[in-house]
């Protein structure tokens, strides 16, 4: 007899002996925290035991992120065609941010009706519910309905403004180390979005504080490589753009086009000689210390200039070997949020990379909304990590002693 279709399987070894229920198809387990866990057991001789697969979760996450990306693309297209006055207006990003969150939340709840739904995300509907928010909610609702129309199963009735507000607020969660929490950045890299450059819809699932799957939709990222000579999406107009990266724990990282090509497995760069490596960093100097990255790169022997792009598209590009290193050193006092790194980090680690803080510690997503880390995040392959860490440590020491 084999076991399939498993939900909530505890980490091995099982903490308690399974008790058989009165039916011969269900087993119940009791974890050390007394959580009751049910296993559905099949008598099919062809199925073999496998722990929690997250297959349905991943399919739902891909669908949610792709639809949210469609909504963002519509808004960005209209924004780029608009006049200079409305380009300096921040409202398009507000509409796309809320719209993207509403879509992801709505799709996840529809696709996974049997799961309890908790979502850690940046937005809530507080401002939209104020009197001057009504016009914006109306616009968001129209956009959400226009975007969902391609999915026949969702279009039985158009969503009302109240449905959209509810979706934005649905499953409000602070994250943490127990249970399942979806983690969403509805538009990561809003500055890039407004400029017409890179941005991402970043969605991950935490289970017991660990990232178990991640999806990155990068509407402006070329399907081929994004190298040092292509800092803006407009400079790569001959390449097809729009990538969807996805990774599930233990199963590698894949990339497909946002319009649905077959997925291909991707791998981080195998470069061992830093002289051949190039590195990514934030486009915005306000988000990362460019002078510190440049000192680290110099110490390491990196010859290529930095590749500056917005958002977790950096993690996606790194996962397929476009560059070999990502350096992020926020200014003093900034606290990193989990939604800015959860999806990106699993996309890179499942592609064979390593993601740590500046002291070499793995990122801990189990502490709530914030990452509690030692200044900075660094990413590279396993071979380069020891020398990168050494260069980071020395450069930080030199910076401190020069103050
Ligand atoms: P990136 O495009 O990689 O620079 O990262 C974009 C993300 O940086 C945004 O989604 C913000 O959450 C985050 N961010 C905002 N302000 C700062 C800051 N002062 N330092 C570092 N990151 C920031
Ligand atoms: Mg962000």
């Amino acid at each position: 007899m084999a076991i399939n279709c498993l939900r909530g399987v505890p980490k091995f070894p099982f903490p308690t002996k399974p008790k058989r229920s009165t039916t011969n198809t269900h087993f119940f387990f009791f974890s050390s925290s007394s959580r009751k866990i049910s296993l559905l057991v099949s008598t099919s001789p062809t199925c073999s035991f496998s722990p929690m697969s997250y297959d349905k979760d991943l399919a739902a996450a891909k669908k949610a992120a792709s639809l949210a990306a469609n909504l963002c693309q519509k808004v960005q297209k209209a924004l780029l065609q608009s006049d200079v006055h409305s380009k300096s207006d921040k409202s398009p990003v507000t509409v796309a941010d809320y719209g993207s969150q509403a879509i992801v939340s709505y799709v996840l709840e529809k696709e996974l009706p049997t799961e309890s739904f908790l979502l850690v995300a940046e937005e809530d509907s507080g401002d939209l519910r104020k009197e001057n928010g009504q016009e914006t909610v109306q616009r968001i609702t129209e956009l959400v309905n226009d975007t969902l129309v391609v999915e026949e199963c969702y279009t039985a009735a158009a969503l009302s403004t109240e449905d959209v507000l509810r979706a934005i607020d649905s499953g409000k969660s602070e994250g943490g180390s127990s249970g399942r929490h979806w983690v969403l950045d509805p538009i990561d890299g809003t500055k890039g979005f407004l400029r017409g450059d890179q941005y991402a819809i970043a969605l991950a699932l935490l289970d017991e504080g660990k990232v178990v799957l991640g999806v990155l939709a990068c509407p402006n990222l070329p399907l081929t490589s994004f190298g040092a000579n292509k800092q803006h999406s407009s400079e790569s107009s001959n390449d097809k753009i729009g990538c969807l990266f996805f990774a599930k724990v233990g199963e590698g990282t894949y990339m497909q086009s946002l319009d649905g090509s077959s997925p291909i497995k991707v791998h981080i760069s195998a470069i061992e000689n830093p002289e051949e490596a190039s590195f990514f960093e934030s486009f915005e100097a306000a988000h990362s210390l460019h002078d510190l990255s440049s000192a680290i790169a110099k110490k390491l022997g990196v010859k290529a200039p930095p590749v500056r792009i917005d958002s977790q598209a950096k993690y996606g590009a790194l996962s397929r070997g476009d560059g070999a290193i990502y350096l992020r050193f926020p200014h003093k006092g900034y606290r990193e949020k989990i939604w800015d790194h959860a999806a990106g980090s699993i996309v890179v680690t499942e592609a064979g990379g390593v993601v740590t803080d500046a002291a070499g510690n793995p990122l801990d997503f189990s502490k709530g909304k914030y990452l509690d880390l030692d200044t900075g995040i660094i990413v590279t392959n396993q071979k380069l990590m020891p020398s990168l860490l050494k260069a980071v440590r020395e450069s930080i020491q030199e910076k401190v002693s020069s103050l």
Side-chain angles (χ1 to χ4, degrees), residues 122 185-190 200 202 311-312 328 334 337 339-341:
E122 201 160 14
D185 195 338
I187 296 190
D188 182 39
T190 50
S311 83
Q312 288 172 72
R328 184 182 188 87
Y334 182 77
K337 321 308 186 295
W339 53 74
D340 279 326
H341 300 283

Side-chain angles (χ1 to χ4, degrees), residues 129-193:
R129 286 183 189 274
K130 291 179 187 154
E131 210 168 313
N132 59 1
Q134 278 173 7
E135 210 183 302
T136 312
V137 183
Q138 196 61 48
R139 263 198 78 198
I140 297 167
T141 307
E142 278 164 25
L143 260 167
V144 168
N145 282 321
D146 279 358
T147 308
L148 291 179
V149 94
V150 294
E151 289 291 323
E152 278 166 24
C153 53
Y154 300 149
T155 51
L159 272 69
S160 65
T161 51
E162 191 48 44
D163 292 334
V164 167
L165 290 171
R166 213 178 304 122
I168 290 166
D169 283 339
S170 170
K172 253 188 205 172
S173 157
E174 294 289 315
S177 59
S178 67
R180 288 162 48 100
H181 303 263
W182 289 97
V183 180
L184 171 69
D185 195 338
I187 296 190
D188 182 39
T190 50
K191 294 256 168 65
F193 178 82

